[in-house]
Amino acid sequence: MERVGTEPVVGPARGWRRLLSKDPGESDLSRRRFRLTRPASRAIVERAERSYISGFNAVVTRQAERIEDLSRDQRAFAYEGAGAACAMLDLLTLARGRRLHELLTGPAAGHAFSVHLGAGRGYAMLRLRPVRGARGAHPLLRWLALDGFGFQWSLARADRMVGERAMPDLLSRVHCALFDQGLGRLLWYHDCASPDDVAARVAAYPVSRRAALWSGVGYAATCTGGAEADELWWLTEHAGADGFRSHLAQGSAFAVAARAQAGAVPDHAAQAAPILTGGTPEDAVGWTEQALRFLGDDPDGHHEFLAWQAHTRRLWLRRHSSS
């Protein structure tokens, strides 16, 4: 894999793996008729997808260690792609999660959130439900695969998932909230990080789905970026007016926690956190860690994952009701 500026170019795959390799041109979201009306924001979201594809292809060509050649702020997206490729390869070769486990305990040890999100994208590409998750995945973070599934499923079917606000038949009702978090992240890309457009898009969904959508928007606005500070303030106003301000904050807090796990929080995430969460990045990470302790020893269920998020929102509400 050679470097061109800060964007690595992966060498060609051999044998049957060629069939899995992704065309870097897939990062051009105009192919999917997204609302790419903001050039600066478009460059940011498409760069994230380009890094995702680089990470995916790095695994397909057995060069996952070269993801570290990417700039620090793009590695999370590349490891998301790596997680997708590992999940697909494990499923296709009946490897029982071996590659995903090796990725999580090896080069992606600091990017567990991203890898599990990516695993869900891999399941979506194979049209398989990620409900049980791959063997070797983290017992609690594996539920992020449903979020990743929601992102990828909606990315490939934006006309139905965004335009018609459909829900896939593959999932049971109890898993739809996590699917919608992934859809919320996708809406941030679909409407090119425009707070007004994203808020209008969320408002078109039934009220019962909006909480999870706002959580996903908060995650993407923090992790991926693309909006200026004044626009992020408008985003908080929109979420508050819709009655889901705490969900936006919780999604942002989880994004900061994911980024902090990998080391330094990127500048755009450090700028977003005080606006979307009303606290410092350290505060946001602290809420997620304290909320996790509420769950006791070895939490692993779907409802415990949702409880983790709910406890984080309660800590946010406690902080802001007393201020």
Side-chain angles (χ1 to χ4, degrees):
M1 184 162 60
E2 59 182 307
R3 295 188 65 163
V4 178
T6 59
E7 300 291 345
V9 178
V10 180
R14 300 178 182 277
W16 64 270
R17 286 173 174 252
R18 291 182 185 176
L19 300 175
L20 294 181
S21 294
K22 286 189 167 294
D23 176 3
E26 289 183 34
S27 64
D28 179 1
L29 297 180
S30 67
R31 293 183 176 187
R32 303 181 185 276
R33 295 187 293 177
F34 281 22
R35 295 188 55 173
L36 304 173
T37 57
R38 295 151 48 92
S41 298
R42 174 180 180 173
I44 289 169
V45 298
E46 289 191 334
R47 187 184 181 199
E49 275 299 283
R50 215 159 44 242
S51 296
Y52 165 85
I53 292 170
S54 292
F56 186 99
N57 287 340
V59 165
V60 171
T61 58
R62 298 186 175 93
Q63 300 175 80
E65 72 283 354
R66 301 301 300 278
I67 289 174
E68 293 297 312
D69 290 348
L70 277 164
S71 60
R72 182 183 294 273
D73 69 310
Q74 291 300 301
R75 289 175 198 162
F77 307 113
Y79 280 117
E80 187 176 332
C86 283
M88 289 185 71
L89 287 167
D90 283 340
L91 289 165
L92 292 171
T93 62
L94 305 179
R96 300 171 65 87
R98 175 181 57 82
R99 294 178 184 84
L100 191 67
H101 176 72
E102 290 175 352
L103 181 67
L104 285 165
T105 57
H111 294 273
F113 280 74
S114 295
V115 171
H116 286 87
L117 288 171
R121 296 185 68 167
Y123 272 78
M125 284 184 277
L126 294 176
R127 297 180 62 86
L128 295 173
R129 292 184 298 170
V131 172
R132 295 189 178 182
R135 298 176 188 269
H138 187 281
L140 189 62
L141 293 182
R142 66 193 173 103
W143 295 106
L144 285 168
L146 282 163
D147 182 320
F149 180 92
F151 182 97
Q152 182 65 39
W153 192 269
S154 302
L155 176 70
R157 301 163 181 81
D159 286 349
R160 291 196 64 240
M161 299 298 116
V162 179
E164 299 174 17
R165 297 174 290 283
M167 179 65 76
D169 296 332
L170 285 171
L171 296 180
S172 63
R173 188 177 185 85
V174 296
H175 296 125
C176 289
L178 288 172
F179 175 95
D180 277 343
Q181 288 178 36
L183 172 57
R185 290 193 298 122
L186 189 278
L187 293 180
W188 187 252
Y189 285 56
H190 185 278
D191 286 284
C192 211
S194 166
D196 291 343
D197 292 339
V198 170
R201 190 75 64 180
V202 172
Y205 287 82
V207 174
S208 60
R209 299 181 66 180
R210 290 183 207 163
L213 292 172
W214 276 115
S215 178
V217 169
Y219 193 104
T222 305
C223 188
T224 305
E228 299 294 334
D230 58 335
E231 294 176 318
L232 292 173
W233 283 114
W234 274 113
L235 190 66
T236 67
E237 292 291 328
H238 285 304
D242 204 19
F244 298 106
R245 178 68 181 87
S246 66
H247 289 80
L248 179 75
Q250 173 262 305
S252 178
F254 268 57
V256 175
R259 287 297 205 156
Q261 184 186 62
V265 176
D267 289 344
H268 69 268
Q271 179 193 55
I275 299 172
L276 299 185
T277 73
T280 65
E282 294 75 18
D283 290 333
V285 173
W287 296 332
T288 66
E289 292 176 345
Q290 187 177 346
L292 185 59
R293 289 194 291 271
F294 284 147
L295 303 182
D297 297 331
D298 302 322
D300 64 358
H302 164 258
H303 294 292
E304 288 170 307
F305 186 90
L306 294 178
W308 182 18
Q309 296 180 315
H311 284 309
T312 301
R313 290 192 293 274
R314 290 190 191 101
L315 290 168
W316 179 86
L317 287 166
R318 185 182 305 167
R319 162 75 173 267
H320 290 276
S321 63
S322 61
S323 60

